[in-house]
């Protein structure tokens, strides 16, 4: 089946959960109230007032206690959105329905878990402080135990906490609840998060990777730290004024007294290709004609782009891609951040875009006047508003903007929305049209073009759809079409799909004590594991190490593939020592790996528009730690009132608190402006874009242990769709930390010794630290640019089991493999090597080999499939695991050497390798290519929540000459 890369995408379902609002009808009512009470008002009940029956989603009580509140709200939003679209009466294509979620900053369960682990240190310090203040040893010990029990009751730990806290568990839980088997991932791009989610959904639908996408995005006030961090950047205000009066002309935020109020909300959109929605008889709120994202890379602390020119060019390019003339746009949903310099830039770009239009012909508004800034949810809130307005053919009212720049001048084409009014049809037969703007504080700009769906057949009737018909005048159509990309010199020869290979033109990695790709490969060749005891600074053994039984407070292993982090920024970058120190460890590690990735390319950065997709944990350790420290500082009164310390005099109690403060540090007297930068997961990608001057949209992706390959999948999709000319993709995580080791031990996931994939004695995985990044281009572009092609990504398959959050599933893994092979022109029998997920759990290894046998054992093979896993050397690096596997595979392909496994003493007899057939070698061997074909390999990653990815790679054919 052929898919049109320009086909409109239909919005067929909407959900809205905001303070005082439940459902699209109540949301529409809020939007139409002339003088609504702001949802950010203290008098309005927050999201916590929304009651959700989790039992209806089939969630066991043991797991429900460990779920983040956001997970519960997003489940309800998903149910509401699907019901709004007619589900379950109207059946969805469950095999090809994706679930994408967007959140920003940490979740409450992440905070509680981090605090619970860090509290052990606090309890110890309370005991020591009590002793130094003169309390007897018995009283001090009793005080510590009293505090420990109090915190345990407040934070209610559970073995399922590690699963319940993960952002990627949310889309996985939704997929499981509604039996969806498509792609499943969580995303974050600061306040452009839901815009990035929409862009990804549009790519998946237009590229034929899915038939429906459920996008859910939400923001809660999870902790006071988030608001403090925003306030430290000078971004917040006490009132919702999207277009503040600014007569001073000053560029200083503080001088203009402007900003936004942080709101909260959860919303959802169900999206389909227009032709599919029409075929299915769906009620269509509106159609998305284009969704364009650009990035303004500026070094230094994160800030929204001030560029009028980039805003203008982004809008021009988006309208051109939609084949829409600016004069046919009747309404603009602005960012309306309330930050005066940003408002001026946005309105100036809009005025230039619509220059020549009649005065006041373009209405301008922002949903922030009702909701405040809902951050990760902002795009869904804005799109839902505009889609409902187009559907009802009525423009909602807005708050008067005062003397905001851009409205103050007479004769401007822009006019602020005032009272609500009917939305008239466009002139000359044009349908009603609107654009939606978005930005992020990391520098990303977003522009979407929406159009009403009137059901009269203008786009109905593929054929139902003609990509050149946008009701534009015929003489304008050719000028509006975006330029065609140059023809690829690569003859794909793929009758299955015609998908162009994606070239890997650079790679870099840092895992455990291997700080670059060369040392990584040398360690693999040596056959010696890099796993060992983690440093005492990482795991305080007195507090957290207790070999033996499972525990909610201790790890039964002290082994890991630990990485010593860079202490200084890479040479050539103008990053101050204090700013570098304030970064999260994952940010510092990725920055160092990016320096290796881009080294050797001179000073010339990759050209054109790009994407940086980094797989990571969406709740960074720095944010969790700072939140825990802040919470512990608030426990002073609790400590002072402990019954066990009742015998202390007031003077000795004061001495105790003084001693405790010396350990915790001084009370929070202010928050640095760069605090937020070090707590954003997408800040990893934004650092790379901004410090290296790359015109590349930054994105964080979490798909549990499959995060790296999910990032590769996002990058490949963008390159093939032409929305990016280059991409940097991979993953990073620092899994060797007390919090993760305790949480994983509680669930019995860790090995009591070392990672030993496929071994009869395998009993779990060992955590590891690492980062792997890859520079990707379309194959034709790489050849044109004379790049050194290190390998080709030929296909990426993805699926969700939709069965269990923790138990692996043969059918789900098989589905991902089969989808990868549907994209290529060769069979599984042509693959020589499989870099397996290979966690080293008995069930996981057995299920994985069974799935491999289902797909790879279906046809005779010239020789056995070689199977291996990088985890035997470096441990399980969680979000970075897929990048370790892909790095090992590409380096093996370059060296023409099949890599060995380590820690393998006795092959597990329960693995039916003969059914493939396959071998698991313990020594390196020459990789002899099969006659007449390049060396080919596959990389698998399977994540908690039933998330499965399978990537097919092959060597560049130039490397085949003379190879044996």
């Amino acid at each position: 089946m052929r898919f049109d890369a320009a086909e409109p995408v239909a919005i067929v379902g909407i959900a809205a959960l905001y303070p005082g609002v439940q459902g699209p009808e109540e949301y529409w009512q809020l939007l139409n109230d002339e003088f609504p009470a702001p949802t950010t008002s203290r008098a309005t009940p927050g999201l916590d007032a929304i009651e959700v029956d989790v039992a209806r989603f089939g969630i066991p009580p043991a797991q429900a206690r460990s779920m983040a509140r956001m997970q519960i709200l997003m489940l309800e939003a998903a149910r509401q959105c699907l019901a709004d679209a007619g589900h379950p009466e109207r059946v969805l294509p469950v095999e090809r329905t994706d679930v994408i979620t967007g959140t920003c900053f940490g979740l409450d369960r992440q905070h509680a878990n981090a605090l619970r682990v860090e509290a052990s240190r606090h309890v110890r310090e309370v005991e020591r402080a009590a002793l130094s203040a003169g309390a007897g040893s018995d009283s001090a010990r009793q005080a510590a135990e009293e505090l420990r029990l109090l915190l345990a009751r407040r934070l209610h730990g559970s073995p399922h906490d590690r699963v319940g806290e993960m952002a990627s568990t949310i889309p996985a839980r939704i997929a499981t609840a509604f039996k969806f088997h498509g792609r499943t991932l969580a995303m974050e791009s600061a306040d452009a998060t839901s815009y990035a989610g929409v862009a990804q959904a549009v790519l998946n639908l237009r590229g034929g990777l899915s038939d429906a996408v459920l996008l859910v995005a939400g923001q809660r006030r999870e902790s006071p730290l988030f608001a403090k961090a925003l306030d430290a950047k000078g971004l917040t205000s006490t009132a919702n004024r999207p277009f503040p009066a600014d007569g001073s002309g000053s560029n200083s935020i503080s001088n203009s007294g402007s900003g936004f109020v942080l709101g909260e909300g959860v919303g959802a959109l169900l999206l389909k290709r227009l032709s599919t929605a029409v075929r299915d008889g769906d009620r269509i709120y509106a159609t998305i004609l284009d969704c364009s994202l650009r990035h303004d890379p500026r070094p230094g602390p994160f800030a929204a782009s001030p560029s009028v020119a980039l805003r203008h060019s982004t809008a021009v390019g988006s309208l051109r891609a939609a084949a829409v003339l600016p004069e046919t746009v009747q309404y603009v949903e602005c960012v309306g951040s309330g930050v005066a310099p940003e408002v001026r830039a946005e309105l100036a770009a809009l005025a230039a875009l619509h220059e020549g239009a009649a005065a006041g012909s373009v209405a301008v508004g922002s949903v922030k006047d009702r909701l405040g800034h809902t951050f990760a949810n902002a795009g869904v809130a804005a799109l839902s508003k505009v889609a409902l307005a187009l559907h009802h053919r009525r423009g909602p009212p807005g708050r008067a903007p005062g003397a905001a720049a851009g409205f103050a001048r007479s004769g401007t084409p822009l006019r602020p929305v005032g009272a609500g009014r009917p939305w008239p049809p466009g002139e000359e037969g044009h349908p009603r049209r609107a654009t939606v703007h978005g930005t992020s504080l990391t520098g990303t700009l977003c522009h979407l073009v929406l159009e009403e769906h009137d059901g009269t057949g203008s786009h109905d009737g593929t054929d139902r759809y003609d990509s050149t018909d946008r009701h534009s005048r015929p003489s304008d159509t050719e000028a509006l079409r975006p330029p065609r990309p140059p023809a690829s010199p690569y003859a794909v020869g793929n009758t299955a799909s015609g998908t162009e290979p994606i070239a890997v033109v650079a790679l870099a990695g840092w895992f455990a004590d291997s700080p670059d790709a060369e040392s990584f490969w040398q360690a693999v060749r040596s056959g010696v594991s890099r796993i060992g005891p983690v440093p005492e600074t990482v795991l305080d053994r007195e507090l957290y190490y207790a070999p033996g039984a499972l525990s909610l407070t201790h790890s039964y292993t002290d082994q890991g593939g630990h990485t010593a982090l860079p202490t200084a920024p890479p040479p050539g970058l103008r990053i101050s020592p204090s700013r570098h120190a304030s970064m999260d460890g994952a940010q510092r590690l990725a920055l160092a790996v990016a320096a290796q990735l881009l080294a050797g390319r001179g000073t010339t950065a990759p050209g054109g528009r790009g994407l940086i997709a980094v797989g990571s944990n969406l709740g960074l350790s720095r944010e969790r730690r700072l939140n825990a420290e802040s919470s512990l500082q608030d426990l002073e009164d609790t400590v002072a009132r402990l019954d066990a310390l009742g015998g202390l005099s007031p003077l000795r109690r004061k001495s105790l608190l003084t001693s405790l403060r010396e350990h915790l540090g001084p009370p929070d007297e202010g928050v640095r402006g760069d605090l937020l930068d070090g707590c954003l997961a997408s800040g990893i990608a934004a650092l790379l874009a901004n410090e290296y001057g790359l015109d590349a949209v930054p994105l964080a992706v979490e798909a549990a242990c499959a995060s790296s390959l999910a990032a590769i999948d996002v990058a490949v999709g963008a390159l093939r769709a032409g929305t990016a000319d280059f991409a940097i993709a991979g993953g990073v995580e620092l899994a060797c930390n007390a919090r993760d080791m305790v949480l994983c031990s509680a669930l019995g996931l860790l090995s009591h010794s070392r990672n030993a994939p496929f071994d009869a004695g395998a009993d779990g995985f060992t955590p590891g630290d690492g980062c792997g990044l890859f520079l990707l281009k379309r194959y034709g572009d790489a050849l044109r640019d004379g790049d050194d092609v290190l390998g080709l990504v030929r296909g990426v398959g993805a699926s969700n089991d939709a069965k269990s959050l923790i138990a692996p599933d043969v059918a789900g893994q098989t589905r991902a493999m089969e989808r990868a092979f549907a994209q290529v022109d060769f069979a599984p029998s042509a693959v020589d090597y499989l870099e397996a997920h290979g966690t080293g759990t008995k069930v996981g290894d057995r299920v994985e080999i069974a799935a491999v046998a289902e797909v790879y054992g279906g046809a005779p093979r010239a020789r056995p499939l070689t199977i291996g896993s990088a985890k035997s050397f470096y441990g399980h690096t969680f979000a970075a695991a897929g990048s370790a596997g892909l790095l090992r595979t590409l380096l093996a392909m370059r060296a023409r050497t099949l890599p060995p496994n380590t820690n393998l003493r006795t092959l597990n007899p329960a693995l039916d390798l003969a059914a493939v057939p396959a071998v698991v070698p313990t020594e390196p061997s020459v990789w002899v290519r099969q006659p007449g074909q390049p060396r080919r390999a596959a990389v698998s990653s399977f994540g908690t929540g039933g998330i499965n990815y399978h990537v097919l790679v092959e060597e560049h054919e130039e490397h085949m000459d003379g190879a044996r």
Side-chain angles (χ1 to χ4, degrees), residues 761-777:
D763 63 347
F765 58 79
T766 304
D769 298 336
C771 175
L773 296 175
F774 307 89
L775 179 58
L776 309 176
K777 286 185 175 181

Side-chain angles (χ1 to χ4, degrees), residues 361-400:
S361 61
V362 181
V364 173
S366 173
V367 76
K368 290 183 179 65
D369 66 1
R370 310 296 165 117
L371 302 177
H373 190 0
T374 57
F375 228 75
N377 168 261
V380 166
L383 276 169
S384 298
K385 170 188 172 180
V386 175
L388 287 167
L390 286 167
H391 179 65
H392 290 284
R393 299 178 180 177
R394 181 175 180 80
R399 294 183 185 276

Side-chain angles (χ1 to χ4, degrees), residues 728-751:
I728 294 175
V732 59
E733 187 151 357
L734 304 175
C736 292
N737 63 77
R739 181 194 67 245
D740 283 336
M741 293 178 75
V742 168
L743 294 179
C744 290
S745 285
L747 202 54
L749 298 175
L750 300 184
S751 170

Side-chain angles (χ1 to χ4, degrees), residues 662-683:
E662 288 176 356
H663 164 70
L664 294 175
D668 184 11
E669 298 176 352
V671 177
R672 288 170 47 112
D674 58 6
L675 170 67
L676 187 69
D677 298 13
C679 295
L680 280 174
S682 64

Side-chain angles (χ1 to χ4, degrees), residues 921-946:
T922 57
E923 297 290 338
S925 62
V926 176
W927 188 340
V928 180
R929 66 180 179 88
Q930 298 188 42
Q933 70 176 40
R935 294 171 178 83
R936 292 187 173 121
V939 183
S940 286
S941 278
F942 309 126
T944 303

Side-chain angles (χ1 to χ4, degrees), residues 92 108 133 324 326 390 450 488 525-526 551 580 614 874 897 930:
L92 280 172
D108 59 353
V324 163
L390 286 167
L450 272 69
S488 168
R525 285 262 339 196
S526 73
S551 165
H580 188 260
V614 178
Y874 292 100
T897 300
Q930 298 188 42

Side-chain angles (χ1 to χ4, degrees), residues 255-445:
N255 287 342
S256 68
S258 62
F260 55 77
V261 176
L262 181 62
E264 57 179 4
V266 179
L269 300 171
L270 182 62
L271 307 175
K272 291 183 176 180
R273 288 182 297 276
L274 177 58
S275 58
T276 304
V278 171
R279 181 200 66 194
D280 295 344
D282 292 318
R283 181 264 324 277
I284 299 172
Y285 283 108
T287 59
I288 301 171
L289 305 184
D290 181 68
C291 180
S292 294
L293 274 61
R294 293 292 303 274
H295 189 73
D296 185 3
R298 294 180 302 126
F302 295 155
S305 170
S307 173
V308 175
L310 186 58
R311 279 176 163 80
H312 182 264
S313 65
T314 300
V316 169
S318 179
L319 289 167
R320 179 176 293 144
V324 163
L325 294 170
E327 58 263 34
T328 67
V329 174
Q330 300 160 288
Y331 174 76
V332 179
E333 175 69 16
C334 285
V335 174
S337 67
V339 179
E342 186 177 358
V343 171
R344 284 196 299 272
E346 182 176 27
L347 295 181
L350 268 176
L353 180 70
H354 295 280
E355 185 178 14
S361 61
V362 181
V364 173
S366 173
V367 76
K368 290 183 179 65
D369 66 1
R370 310 296 165 117
L371 302 177
H373 190 0
T374 57
F375 228 75
N377 168 261
V380 166
L383 276 169
S384 298
K385 170 188 172 180
V386 175
L388 287 167
L390 286 167
H391 179 65
H392 290 284
R393 299 178 180 177
R394 181 175 180 80
R399 294 183 185 276
F407 292 131
R409 300 188 305 274
S410 62
T412 176
L414 310 180
R415 64 173 172 83
V417 293
R421 63 180 67 178
W423 189 330
E427 297 180 357
E428 301 183 20
H430 295 295
R432 295 168 178 84
R433 288 178 178 145
T435 59
V436 178
H437 294 188
T439 60
S440 83
L441 57 79
T442 56
T444 298
L445 299 173

